[in-house]
C-alpha cells in the first residue's frame, strides 16, 4: 500500500529544514580534529551561567511534568518587561511560536505577507496550514519594504511577518518606519486588520542602535500585534528550546487554549527564568559582538568583500566569485562552518556568525587562503 497517498496534500512538497551543520558531523565527515561553527547565530560565549546553575540544581526534578502554565517564567518576564502576565505566552523556541500563531489564525486559501530574504519559517508554517505566502521584494540595501508590504494586503491576508532585525540580512526597520507601517495596514471589508507578527529574535543586539524600535511600545495601540523574542540567541540557550511572545490578552488566551499542554519542558522553563536579564551574559555578549563586527567589517573592507551592516550577531557578505554554497564547501574543508543561503535566494552570499576573536581571525585567515588561491584551483 502506498502510504504517501495518506499524506495531507499540503505536506507533500515539504523538504527537511537545512539547519547549520553540527560540529561533530563535520569532524566525522571531513576527518578534521578542530572545527569551529559560525553558522547558526549561537552565542560563542556559551549559555547564561545563571541558567546553567539553576538547571543543575533542578536536574533531579525532571520526573515531574513541567508547569503547563510556565508561571515562574511568565512572572519573571512580566517583571522584567513591566507587562501584564496575561500578555505573555511561552513556546518551545521562536520556531514553535510561529507555528502556534499559524495554527490559531491561518485558514486554507488565506494569505500571509512576508518579505523576500526574510526568515523562512513563516512560509513553511503558512504552507502547513494550506495558506499561501505573498512575497514582497526588499528595498535597496536589503531592508524590508514595509510600505509595499502594507500595500500587498488583500481581503485574503491574515498576517504580515516582519523580522526586525532581519535574519539573514542583519538589516532593521526604524521606529519611524514601523510606526508608519502599523498605521498604513489597511482594514478589510469586515473592518479588521491582519495580524502583524514582529520577530525580535535579535532584540538585545539590535537595541544598541538608537532608532531601533522596541515592539512593546506599540502593543497597547495595536491589538493585532504579536511580538516574540527568544532565549536562543544572546542568552545562549538554543539547545533548550524556549522563547516568549507578547500580545493582547485575548490573543494570549487563545494561544493558551490551542498549544500543546507541556510544550516547554521543565529545564527550559527553569533555565529561561534564571537567564532573564542576566547582566553579565548580556554585557559580555554585546561587547563581543560589537568588537567582532568592527573587526570583520574592517577585514571585509580590506579584502574588498561586499557586506551588509548588521544589527544582529551575524553578517551577510558576498561570496563572489564563489557561489555561497561553494564558499561553504571550501571553508568546511578548512574546519570553518558558515551558512550558505540558497533557500533564502541569496546564492551569491553567505552568512557568518560573530565568534570569539580567535574564531573570527581563523575565519578571515581561511577566507584569505581560499580567495588568495583563486577560483577552481
Ligand atoms: C533564531 C531565530 C528565531 C528563533 O529561534 P528559536 O531558537 O526557535 O527560538 C526566530 N526568528 C529569527 C529571525 C531567528 O534568527
Amino acid at each position: 500500500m502506498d502510504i504517501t497517498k495518506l499524506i495531507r496534500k499540503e505536506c507533500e512538497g515539504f523538504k527537511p529544514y537545512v539547519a547549520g551543520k553540527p560540529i561533530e558531523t563535520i569532524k566525522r565527515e571531513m576527518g578534521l580534529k578542530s572545527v569551529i561553527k559560525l553558522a547558526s547565530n549561537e552565542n560563542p560565549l556559551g549559555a547564561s551561567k545563571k541558567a546553567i546553575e539553576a538547571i543543575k540544581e533542578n536536574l533531579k526534578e525532571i520526573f515531574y511534568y513541567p508547569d503547563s502554565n510556565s508561571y515562574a517564567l511568565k512572572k519573571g518576564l512580566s517583571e522584567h518587561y513591566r507587562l501584564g502576565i496575561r500578555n505573555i505566552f511561552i513556546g518551545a523556541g521562536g520556531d514553535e511560536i510561529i507555528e502556534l500563531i499559524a495554527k490559531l489564525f491561518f485558514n486554507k486559501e488565506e494569505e500571509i505577507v512576508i518579505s523576500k530574504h526574510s526568515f523562512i519559517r513563516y512560509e513553511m508554517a503558512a504552507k502547513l496550514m494550506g495558506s499561501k505566502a505573498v512575497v514582497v521584494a526588499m528595498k535597496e540595501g536589503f531592508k524590508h519594504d514595509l510600505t509595499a508590504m502594507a500595500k500587498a494586503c488583500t481581503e485574503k491576508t491574515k498576517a504580515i511577518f516582519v523580522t526586525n532585525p532581519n535574519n539573514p540580512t542583519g538589516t532593521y526597520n526604524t521606529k519611524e518606519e514601523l510606526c508608519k507601517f502599523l498605521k498604513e495596514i489597511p482594514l478589510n471589508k469586515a473592518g479588521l486588520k491582519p495580524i502583524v507578527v514582529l520577530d525580535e529574535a535579535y532584540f538585545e543586539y539590535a537595541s544598541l542602535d538608537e532608532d531601533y524600535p522596541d515592539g512593546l511600545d506599540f502593543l497597547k495601540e495595536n491589538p493585532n500585534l504579536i511580538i516574540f523574542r527568544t532565549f536562543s540567541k544572546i542568552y545562549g540557550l538554543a539547545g533548550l528550546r524556549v522563547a516568549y511572545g507578547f500580545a493582547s490578552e485575548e490573543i494570549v488566551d487563545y494561544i493558551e487554549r490551542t498549544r500543546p499542554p507541556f510544550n516547554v519542558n521543565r529545564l527550559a522553563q527553569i533555565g529561561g527564568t534564571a537567564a532573564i536579564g542576566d547582566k553579565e551574559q548580556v554585557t559580555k555578549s554585546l561587547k563581543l559582538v560589537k568588537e567582532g563586527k568592527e573587526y570583520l567589517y574592517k577585514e571585509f573592507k580590506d579584502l574588498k568583500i561586499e557586506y551588509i551592516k548588521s544589527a544582529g550577531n551575524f553578517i551577510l557578505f558576498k561570496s563572489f566569485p564563489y557561489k555561497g554554497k561553494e564558499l561553504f564547501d571550501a571553508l568546511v574543508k578548512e574546519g570553518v562552518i558558515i551558512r550558505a543561503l540558497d533557500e533564502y535566494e541569496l546564492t551569491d552570499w553567505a552568512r557568518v556568525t560573530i565568534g570569539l576573536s580567535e574564531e573570527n581571525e581563523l575565519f578571515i585567515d581561511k577566507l584569505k587562503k581560499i580567495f588568495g588561491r583563486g577560483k577552481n584551483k
Side-chain angles (χ1 to χ4, degrees):
M1 127 175 194
D2 185 0
I3 290 289
T4 59
K5 294 238 161 68
L6 300 178
I7 303 290
R8 280 174 54 218
K9 205 171 104 290
E10 288 80 7
C11 300
E12 280 171 1
F14 270 65
K15 294 192 186 89
Y17 178 74
V18 191
K21 286 220 177 186
I23 288 179
E24 289 312 315
T25 311
I26 299 291
K27 277 187 183 168
R28 197 177 59 238
E29 287 177 3
M30 298 286 154
L32 291 166
K33 276 212 183 72
S34 151
V35 171
I36 62 166
K37 186 182 177 199
L38 303 173
S40 302
N41 303 343
E42 291 144 335
N43 189 335
L45 295 173
S48 152
K49 303 231 175 8
K50 289 193 169 171
I52 296 174
E53 272 315 301
I55 288 170
K56 272 188 189 159
E57 270 168 37
N58 287 278
L59 203 47
K60 283 208 205 93
E61 310 287 313
I62 52 168
F63 68 96
Y64 284 123
Y65 277 99
D67 172 10
S68 168
N69 192 32
S70 297
Y71 178 76
L73 179 51
K74 282 186 189 170
K75 184 155 182 295
L77 290 165
S78 160
E79 283 164 9
H80 184 73
Y81 289 111
R82 298 168 199 276
L83 188 74
I85 207 161
R86 283 161 57 208
N87 294 108
I88 301 171
F89 64 98
I90 312 294
D95 283 342
E96 193 199 33
I97 286 182
I98 295 164
E99 219 173 281
L100 294 176
I101 294 168
K103 284 180 191 161
L104 183 59
F105 288 105
F106 302 172
N107 288 305
K108 257 192 173 167
E109 316 299 332
E110 286 182 339
E111 296 173 357
I112 64 163
V113 172
I114 58 175
S115 171
K116 192 158 180 172
H117 310 308
S118 75
F119 197 48
I120 56 169
R121 300 300 302 166
Y122 320 133
E123 182 164 8
M124 321 249 317
K127 281 189 177 153
L128 194 59
M129 303 309 296
S131 30
K132 200 183 115 201
V134 173
V135 183
V136 175
M138 280 187 149
K139 286 201 289 202
E140 216 170 308
F142 288 115
K143 262 179 89 165
H144 295 317
D145 190 341
L146 296 184
T147 300
M149 288 174 80
K151 281 200 182 123
C153 291
T154 69
E155 286 299 309
K156 285 187 187 163
T157 308
K158 185 49 80 64
I160 313 176
F161 283 81
V162 177
T163 330
N164 205 31
N166 186 45
N167 172 18
T169 59
T171 49
Y172 70 95
N173 291 93
T174 63
K175 248 176 230 171
E176 207 184 321
E177 288 166 349
L178 184 66
C179 193
K180 185 163 161 265
F181 164 71
L182 290 168
K183 289 187 190 126
E184 278 172 344
I185 297 168
L187 294 167
N188 66 13
K189 283 186 189 132
L192 300 166
K193 284 190 177 191
I195 297 292
V196 175
V197 183
L198 200 52
D199 178 343
E200 295 184 338
Y202 302 93
F203 172 80
E204 296 84 357
Y205 292 114
S207 295
L208 292 182
D209 282 297
E210 189 98 358
D211 56 352
Y212 171 74
D214 179 342
L216 274 178
D217 293 342
F218 300 90
L219 196 57
K220 267 217 182 86
E221 286 101 73
N222 296 277
N224 59 328
L225 185 60
I226 304 179
I227 302 152
F228 72 88
R229 297 176 188 164
T230 179
F231 287 102
S232 296
K233 303 285 155 65
I234 201 160
Y235 291 111
L237 302 178
L240 271 189
R241 312 308 302 133
V242 53
Y244 49 100
F246 308 119
S248 72
E249 292 186 6
E250 289 79 9
I251 292 178
V252 170
D253 182 46
Y254 271 102
I255 288 179
E256 293 296 346
R257 297 187 211 188
T258 49
R259 69 171 168 82
F262 304 111
N263 56 333
V264 182
N265 75 68
R266 204 176 171 85
L267 297 179
Q269 289 185 32
I270 287 165
T273 307
I276 299 167
D278 180 340
K279 271 220 179 82
E280 188 189 332
Q281 175 80 7
V282 171
T283 312
K284 278 190 180 166
S285 308
L286 291 179
K287 181 166 179 284
L288 182 87
V289 165
K290 188 167 176 282
E291 290 170 358
K293 280 198 280 200
E294 278 162 15
Y295 167 75
L296 289 170
Y297 289 160
K298 185 182 173 302
E299 292 294 326
F300 282 147
K301 215 179 206 166
D302 289 350
L303 290 165
K304 301 197 166 50
I305 292 173
E306 192 183 335
Y307 66 89
I308 305 297
K309 254 190 119 185
S310 172
N313 65 335
F314 55 87
I315 305 174
L316 181 74
F317 67 97
K318 205 151 200 178
S319 53
F320 186 82
Y322 295 89
K323 289 280 166 198
K325 185 73 181 55
E326 292 172 336
L327 185 64
F328 167 86
D329 288 335
L331 277 166
V332 157
K333 282 184 196 143
E334 303 288 338
V336 178
I337 318 172
I338 57 156
R339 190 77 149 83
L341 300 163
D342 287 9
E343 69 275 35
Y344 291 91
E345 294 181 52
L346 290 165
T347 51
D348 294 323
W349 298 76
R351 188 192 70 198
V352 63
T353 302
I354 314 298
L356 302 170
S357 61
E358 60 269 28
E359 292 175 328
N360 300 334
E361 282 162 24
L362 186 73
F363 160 69
I364 289 293
D365 279 353
K366 301 298 184 188
L367 207 57
K368 281 180 184 162
K369 185 173 161 189
I370 292 163
F371 279 101
R373 70 180 175 227
K375 209 183 158 180
N376 301 325
K377 275 181 201 151

